[in-house]
Amino acid sequence: MLHSIQGQVRDAWLLLLSRPLECAIYLIPLVCLLALLARSLLRQEGRQAFWWVVGIIVLNTVFSFGDDSYTHIYRTVALSEEFRHGGLGMMLTNPTTGQVLPVFVFYSSLPYLLPTALNLLGLPSVLAFKLVLAGQFLVLAAGMQVLVDRVRPANASPAHVAAGFLVAILFIESNYVYTLWCTRAALAELWVYSFIPWVVAAILRPDGGRALTGLVFLQACAHPIVLAQTLICELIVPYCLSRMSVAQLIRRCAGPLALALLLAAPFWLPQFLWKDYILGPLALPVEFTDSFRRLTELVHARDFRSVGPWMPLAFVVVLLAAHGRLDHRFWVVTAVFLVVLFMQWSGVAKLMTHVPVLNLRSEEHTSELQSLTNLVCRLLLEKK
């Protein structure tokens, strides 16, 4: 491990020497943001610290080049050219790789609307793609702020307010959330993920039915498989952050969810009906079973399929501080969290291959894990 770190430091130094201007453009704002973050943390200014972290992640998103970037930028350019020439085709053929993709089945077309529109307006495709990634992360961050403010008691102390935003920081910089933008640049997946806090906030509002319908509609259109998994956290989080009974939660969500899925059917239904006519998961460079982890790897600091170590550590610290005096809803979400964590263990990989929907993707079965861990920490802090 030490040898690996030494190699990375050496590579970073060589990069700095070979591209001093580019490194300065990145490092100067990064150092400024880190200084502002340290200042806010020392002053216990949770809200400001949260937004400095958001700025750091947006900066890293702009300067990173995720694994899926080539694919998404190519599709943006291809769709733009089809619009310029007067019509959309049913297939996109990559002349470099020979890969042929059905436009409306392999991947949802909705997330490409904005980068394609920006490209048609004259922005280079790479810049358009980066602006969309940064914009979606700001949507996620704004939703987290709204959610933290909504569940905070009216008489909350400044320390309590700061704690809520520290938990929000733990969420946005957890392995899966961070790498969804900076390592993978997974356009449709992060589209779904960026609306999770907004969906939870809509469920918590007694009059949030219309907003809930619209938000779930967008998620279903963007990536129905990821939505099917994130619904776990989107339904459990409001139950545990409120005093709603299970019956009240069902009454509040059933109608809007059903309507949203019905309206989004033209986007998700063809993908499920025709999935066996394309390679689908078989065309992915990794096997589904490769995404499972050994027990020690489930909290690995650098594995983008793990939850990372920091939120579980925060969970343990707050659990000890609470001395076991916790609401029964905490134990409900703890049980769900452990079940979801168990589902990522390599010992049950073969069993998970038979779970419907879950076995259609190789990475996204971890997505609900991050949100549920965030909920556990948030709920514990609320009880304090």
Side-chain angles (χ1 to χ4, degrees):
M1 182 177 180
L2 181 61
H3 178 73
S4 175
I5 294 175
Q6 290 175 339
Q8 292 172 3
V9 172
R10 182 178 62 254
D11 292 343
W13 177 249
L14 293 175
L15 178 63
L16 180 62
L17 293 177
S18 62
R19 296 180 177 271
L21 179 60
E22 293 91 333
C23 290
I25 294 173
Y26 168 70
L27 290 175
I28 291 174
L30 177 62
V31 171
C32 292
L33 288 169
L34 287 172
L36 291 168
L37 171 61
R39 178 174 176 268
S40 295
L41 290 174
L42 289 173
R43 294 186 175 189
Q44 295 187 358
E45 298 170 342
R47 189 184 302 270
Q48 290 88 334
F50 171 74
W51 283 103
W52 296 134
V53 173
V54 170
I56 291 171
I57 296 177
V58 169
L59 178 68
N60 289 340
T61 299
V62 171
F63 280 88
S64 65
F65 203 82
D67 296 339
D68 296 348
S69 295
Y70 285 111
T71 301
H72 297 314
I73 291 171
Y74 159 71
R75 293 178 189 169
T76 298
V77 172
L79 290 171
S80 298
E81 290 301 312
E82 289 195 339
F83 274 112
R84 289 191 179 99
H85 289 84
L88 289 171
M90 295 300 292
M91 297 286 185
L92 286 181
T93 302
N94 189 330
T96 303
T97 64
Q99 184 183 46
V100 180
L101 302 175
V103 176
F104 300 106
V105 178
F106 181 81
Y107 211 76
S108 174
S109 55
L110 179 65
Y112 292 107
L113 293 182
L114 188 52
T116 299
L118 292 173
N119 188 235
L120 288 171
L121 290 174
L123 283 179
S125 57
V126 175
L127 179 58
F129 179 64
K130 289 293 184 180
L131 284 176
V132 171
L133 293 185
Q136 286 301 126
F137 192 81
L138 292 176
V139 170
L140 172 68
M144 289 301 300
Q145 176 175 275
V146 168
L147 185 57
V148 169
D149 287 338
R150 180 154 296 162
V151 300
R152 186 178 66 240
N155 58 348
S157 66
H160 195 139
V161 175
F165 282 101
L166 289 178
V167 174
I169 291 173
L170 286 173
F171 175 66
I172 64 173
E173 57 83 30
S174 64
N175 287 22
Y176 185 87
V177 180
Y178 177 85
T179 57
L180 201 57
W181 269 265
C182 295
T183 302
R184 293 189 57 214
L187 184 60
E189 288 89 332
L190 61 86
W191 180 288
V192 176
Y193 221 79
S194 64
F195 289 118
I196 288 178
W198 292 102
V199 170
V200 174
I203 295 174
L204 291 173
R205 286 171 45 198
D207 60 344
R210 290 184 179 180
L212 178 59
T213 300
L215 290 165
V216 176
F217 168 80
L218 290 174
Q219 289 182 310
C221 291
H223 204 312
I225 298 173
V226 176
L227 170 62
Q229 297 162 5
T230 54
L231 276 176
I232 297 174
C233 79
E234 290 176 341
L235 295 175
I236 294 177
V237 169
Y239 169 74
C240 293
L241 293 183
S242 69
R243 292 299 173 185
M244 282 188 293
S245 66
V246 174
Q248 290 174 321
L249 179 66
I250 293 174
R251 285 197 298 269
R252 186 172 292 187
C253 298
L257 289 178
L259 180 59
L261 293 176
L262 179 62
L263 293 174
F267 288 86
W268 62 263
L269 187 58
Q271 296 189 38
F272 280 99
L273 292 179
W274 301 335
K275 63 181 177 61
D276 294 330
Y277 295 96
I278 63 174
L279 287 175
L282 297 178
L284 295 175
V286 293
E287 294 291 334
F288 175 63
T289 53
D290 294 337
S291 64
F292 292 83
R293 292 295 178 261
R294 296 190 297 270
L295 291 177
T296 56
E297 296 174 328
L298 290 176
V299 292
H300 194 281
R302 299 184 60 191
D303 190 335
F304 77 86
R305 292 192 181 99
S306 79
V307 70
W310 309 117
M311 292 205 305
L313 283 175
F315 165 77
V316 173
V317 169
V318 181
L319 180 61
L320 293 175
H323 301 294
R325 296 189 298 270
L326 297 163
D327 189 274
H328 74 279
R329 294 170 186 248
F330 162 75
W331 300 113
V332 171
V333 76
T334 300
V336 176
F337 165 72
L338 292 175
V339 169
V340 175
L341 188 63
F342 176 76
M343 291 169 60
Q344 199 186 358
W345 176 45
S346 58
V348 297
K350 292 184 179 180
L351 178 63
M352 291 299 105
T353 60
H354 301 290
V355 178
V357 180
L358 185 67
N359 57 12
L360 294 178
R361 297 291 294 175
S362 62
E363 298 95 357
E364 281 68 45
H365 77 285
T366 60
S367 61
E368 67 272 24
L369 177 62
Q370 326 305 325
S371 298
L372 287 170
T373 309
N374 173 62
L375 164 63
V376 171
C377 297
R378 186 75 187 101
L379 185 62
L380 284 166
L381 288 170
E382 282 300 310
K383 301 308 172 186
K384 295 302 289 177

